[in-house]
Amino acid sequence: MKNRMAMIAAVIMLAHGVAQAADPRYPDWPCIQAKVPEISLPAVWAGPPIDDVANAWKEDAEVVALVEQLASRRVPIEQARKAAADFLARSNDKVKFGKLVFAGLFDSLNAQRSAVLNGLERVMRKQRDAVEKIRTDTAALQAIQGAASPDQARIDELNNQVLWEARIFDDRRRVVAFVCEVPTIIDQRLFALSRTIQQEME
């Protein structure tokens, strides 16, 4: 019982910070890392303008397949860089295809980032709801425990319920800490592949 209550108390203390956003512009942002809503093109691309290719990369099946491969975080970055370099090495127009590949990567990885950012903020909202539920159920548990004739069955039920809610909260917190690193990983991947593409275009 003491261990259970200690865990619940620890989670409630951790939950105290859930309502406090690090950046008031993004009240649902749960990470200590600053939220950058999208990748800035000049931050990752010093090659020729890509305005003229727009969504044209989607019209070339080979480029689409390559972009999907390069954008997948399951593909090691060195393998991805080699695939990009090999593709451009055999291309008959390195500038054109380099721009197409990069435009596809830029679109795809920005979309990945947006999905991750939105997911993190959804989890933050769930965590706030979880905090309120834990507080409500803990208050109800304490009230029953303090009653003249405590209902032991109800005490056990609420105690198990609060413990379960606390575990879910803590599990989510651990996952969020890991996922908060993903936007930076995506940024680094795009920057590394951008450099490879630009080198092959020269």
Side-chain angles (χ1 to χ4, degrees), residues 69-178:
Q69 178 186 1
L70 302 183
S72 173
R73 296 194 304 278
R74 292 190 297 272
V75 177
I77 188 61
E78 289 308 318
Q79 182 180 329
R81 293 181 72 170
K82 184 177 186 305
D86 289 349
F87 175 81
L88 292 176
R90 65 176 186 271
S91 145
N92 59 7
D93 188 338
K94 290 186 177 183
V95 172
K96 172 188 172 183
F97 284 97
K99 288 166 64 173
L100 286 172
V101 172
F102 176 76
L105 267 176
F106 187 73
D107 287 353
S108 299
L109 290 179
N110 251 327
Q112 276 189 31
R113 283 180 91 262
S114 292
V116 171
L117 269 54
N118 291 338
L120 283 165
E121 291 182 327
R122 280 196 303 274
V123 171
M124 180 64 157
R125 290 190 287 271
K126 286 183 179 179
Q127 289 292 74
R128 285 206 183 97
D129 292 342
V131 168
E132 290 310 309
K133 188 74 166 61
I134 291 169
R135 285 175 176 157
T136 299
D137 290 344
T138 301
L141 175 61
Q142 291 170 341
I144 294 172
Q145 288 172 328
S149 301
D151 181 342
Q152 191 57 48
R154 181 60 177 152
I155 288 174
D156 292 343
E157 179 187 352
L158 269 176
N159 190 54
N160 289 333
Q161 183 171 313
V162 172
L163 181 63
W164 179 249
E165 291 163 353
R167 282 178 175 163
I168 291 173
F169 177 92
D170 198 44
D171 286 346
R172 280 200 196 118
R173 182 183 62 83
R174 294 172 193 275
V175 169
V176 163
F178 172 77

Side-chain angles (χ1 to χ4, degrees), residues 94 197-202:
K94 290 186 177 183
I197 292 167
Q198 289 173 81
Q199 286 167 1
E200 291 300 319
M201 289 169 65
E202 292 173 357

